[in-house]
């Protein structure tokens, strides 16, 4: 990922973060509502407890999802194909690229889709909108928005259970961080038989 593309990503996610803040300010004038679920199961906790519990829940969720993602890539052709397409789309990634992109996307998307949209329209609308944002550039990316809708429901449920955005932000960040490293380092085409591998384009 070039520095220019990273700057574009930072600008885009900064823009949607500001949009989420503006949305809540127009709606209620209280920016705190962006970070807390109005009917979350955990309420009236201290900020330290919110961060601790939310962060722990997010990491625990990510551990399961990281294993599931790798299992699907190794087991299912559609997941393997999507993985290869992402390798071609993203290109080589430095560790700092992975860290920055994971952080930008997790914070920006959770502020908008959970903090602003879910608290206004509910989990169904926010999750579908989250899926629409993840429509890919070609038909080969068709599974991606459906995965994103499912993850939208998962992140939205974490938001409701913990009552604050710490859990979905941490889960989103950790999943993106792990998956981007996996996409960058693992080339499924290298697992093909040599006779086929010699005629298979390798995405770097």
């Amino acid at each position: 990922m070039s520095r220019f593309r990273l700057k574009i990503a930072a600008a885009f996610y900064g823009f949607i973060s500001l949009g989420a803040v503006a949305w809540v300010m127009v709606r209620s004038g209280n920016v705190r509502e962006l970070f807390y679920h109005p009917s979350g199961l955990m309420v009236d906790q201290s900020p330290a407890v919110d961060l601790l519990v939310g962060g722990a829940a997010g990491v625990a969720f990510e551990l399961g999802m990281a294993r599931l993602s790798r299992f699907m890539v190794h087991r299912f052709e559609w997941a393997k194909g999507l993985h290869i397409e992402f390798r071609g789309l993203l290109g080589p990634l430095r560790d700092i690229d992975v860290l920055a992109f994971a952080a930008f996307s997790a914070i920006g998307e959770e502020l908008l889709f959970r903090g602003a949209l879910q608290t206004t329209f509910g989990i169904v609308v926010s999750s579908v909108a989250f899926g629409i944002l993840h429509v890919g550039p070609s038909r080969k990316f068709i599974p991606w928005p459906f995965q994103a809708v499912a993850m939208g429901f998962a992140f939205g449920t974490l938001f409701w259970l913990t009552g604050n955005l710490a859990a979905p932000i941490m889960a989103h960040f950790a999943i993106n961080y792990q998956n981007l490293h996996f996409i960058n380092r693992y080339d499924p085409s290298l697992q093909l038989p040599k006779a086929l591998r010699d005629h298979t384009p390798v995405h770097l």
Side-chain angles (χ1 to χ4, degrees):
M1 180 179 290
S2 67
R3 291 183 180 181
F4 175 75
R5 291 173 66 185
L6 194 58
K7 289 179 180 179
I8 293 295
F12 172 74
Y13 288 115
F15 176 77
I16 67 173
S17 296
L18 290 175
V21 172
W23 182 297
V24 172
M25 290 300 293
V26 169
R27 185 183 67 189
S28 66
N30 184 2
V31 73
R32 186 179 185 276
E33 292 187 4
L34 187 62
F35 301 95
Y36 290 90
H37 195 290
S39 57
L41 294 188
M42 288 185 59
V43 295
D44 299 326
Q45 304 293 327
S46 69
V49 172
D50 287 338
L51 291 174
L52 180 62
V53 174
V59 169
F61 179 77
E62 181 276 334
L63 291 174
M65 292 308 302
R67 287 173 172 78
L68 178 61
S69 176
R70 283 150 181 74
F71 170 79
M72 290 193 299
V73 170
H74 289 294
R75 187 68 180 270
F76 300 107
E77 288 301 319
W78 65 265
K80 184 184 297 183
L82 187 59
H83 182 102
I84 292 172
E85 289 302 316
F86 272 119
R87 282 179 60 82
L89 179 66
L90 296 172
L93 298 171
R94 302 169 299 168
D95 288 346
I96 188 62
D97 296 332
V98 171
L99 177 65
F101 191 78
F104 295 155
S105 59
I107 294 171
E109 291 177 6
E110 292 310 307
L111 287 176
L112 177 62
F113 291 101
R114 258 54 70 184
L117 296 186
Q118 183 172 333
T119 56
T120 303
F121 301 109
I123 191 171
V124 174
V125 171
S126 64
S127 298
V128 171
F130 187 60
I132 292 172
L133 179 70
H134 290 79
V135 172
S138 72
R139 293 179 60 185
K140 294 181 179 180
F141 288 87
I142 287 176
W144 191 30
F146 292 98
Q147 287 180 304
V149 170
M151 292 308 301
F153 277 100
F155 293 146
T157 300
L158 280 175
F159 184 30
W160 169 68
L161 288 174
T162 61
N164 69 86
L165 277 182
I169 287 176
M170 180 58 71
H172 197 152
F173 166 78
I175 289 170
N176 282 1
Y177 183 81
Q178 292 288 343
N179 283 346
L180 285 170
H181 270 300
F182 182 52
I183 289 169
N184 194 44
R185 294 175 179 174
Y186 175 65
D187 186 351
S189 66
L190 297 180
Q191 308 305 309
L192 294 172
K194 187 177 186 303
L196 295 177
R197 187 166 68 237
D198 291 342
H199 300 284
T200 301
V202 177
H203 298 279
L204 300 175

